[in-house]
Amino acid sequence: MVQAQLANLMAQTEDVGTSIHQNADQYVSFFVGEAICAVDIMSVREIKGWSDVTRLPHQPEYVRGVLNLRGAVLPIIDLNCLLGQGLTTTTQRHVIVIVAVEDRQVGFIVDAVSDILSIAQEDIKPVPETQARKHTEMFLGFFTEAEQMVALLNLKNLLAEQPDEDLVEAALEA
């Protein structure tokens, strides 16, 4: 069902393809708690319904475990927890967004996939300067869609900025 939803969203995007601004990039948006986040559509490999994961010992709280996806073992990251909003109590309505981070694949637990958005680069606002520089590097910028702020995630920095980087890298290499 989730794959059908993504295919439907992509078909809708193709239908309006001729009206998309040439400098626009496409992003998959999804709900993470109360926030709306997005990633470049080219980094999304798959969206699948929730399934239980195998816990790994001695991992940070946001590393929920691993999932065997057609023979590939992927780390599953609780995006809500990684962004400092607490551990997600997963239900069957949650989904896993599989993304490519450099040469690896990682699954992010999200509440629901929202939409595929076409956003012009000039509409993306920079991340404001704060004292929590490590956390601001998790974002590429922000844009507004339907009067809601959407955080554009920086997948390259999202995991690299964590204090337990060696544990995350070990989980990613699993």
Side-chain angles (χ1 to χ4, degrees):
M1 181 173 143
V2 176
Q3 287 298 91
Q5 179 187 13
L6 181 60
N8 185 33
L9 290 171
M10 292 179 93
Q12 290 173 9
T13 302
E14 289 172 7
D15 290 344
V16 296
T18 56
S19 65
I20 295 174
H21 191 274
Q22 286 185 338
N23 291 334
D25 292 321
Q26 292 185 316
Y27 300 94
V28 176
S29 64
F30 42 83
F31 293 95
V32 180
E34 297 294 316
I36 300 176
C37 297
V39 294
D40 188 313
I41 195 169
M42 297 307 293
S43 67
V44 176
R45 297 296 176 253
E46 186 172 335
I47 298 172
K48 68 181 276 16
W50 172 251
S51 58
D52 290 328
V53 297
T54 303
R55 294 282 302 158
L56 295 174
H58 310 293
Q59 296 296 306
E61 188 176 33
Y62 57 85
V63 178
R64 296 295 292 268
V66 293
L67 178 70
N68 185 337
L69 184 66
R70 292 182 297 284
V73 179
L74 307 177
I76 304 301
I77 307 297
D78 186 337
L79 195 51
N80 197 51
C81 186
L82 183 64
L83 295 175
Q85 302 302 311
L87 200 59
T88 300
T89 303
T90 54
T91 65
Q92 292 297 34
R93 70 174 180 83
H94 287 88
V95 295
I96 300 173
V97 177
I98 311 291
V99 298
V101 179
E102 295 179 345
D103 61 344
R104 303 179 192 129
Q105 291 188 15
V106 179
F108 289 117
I109 299 170
V110 303
D111 293 308
V113 173
S114 176
D115 207 351
I116 294 178
L117 307 170
S118 293
I119 305 297
Q121 284 298 311
E122 59 267 13
D123 293 335
I124 298 173
K125 306 301 180 213
V127 178
E129 289 291 325
T130 67
Q131 291 180 341
R133 182 143 178 86
K134 270 187 170 180
H135 297 292
T136 61
E137 291 175 355
M138 291 183 184
F139 305 103
L140 291 171
F142 296 89
F143 58 88
T144 303
E145 177 67 26
E147 298 183 23
Q148 292 185 302
M149 185 71 66
V150 179
L152 183 55
L153 298 177
N154 184 337
L155 294 176
K156 288 181 182 178
N157 291 344
L158 194 60
L159 298 175
E161 293 299 318
Q162 298 307 309
D164 297 319
E165 183 177 328
D166 293 337
L167 292 174
V168 173
E169 288 299 318
L172 290 172
E173 292 172 2

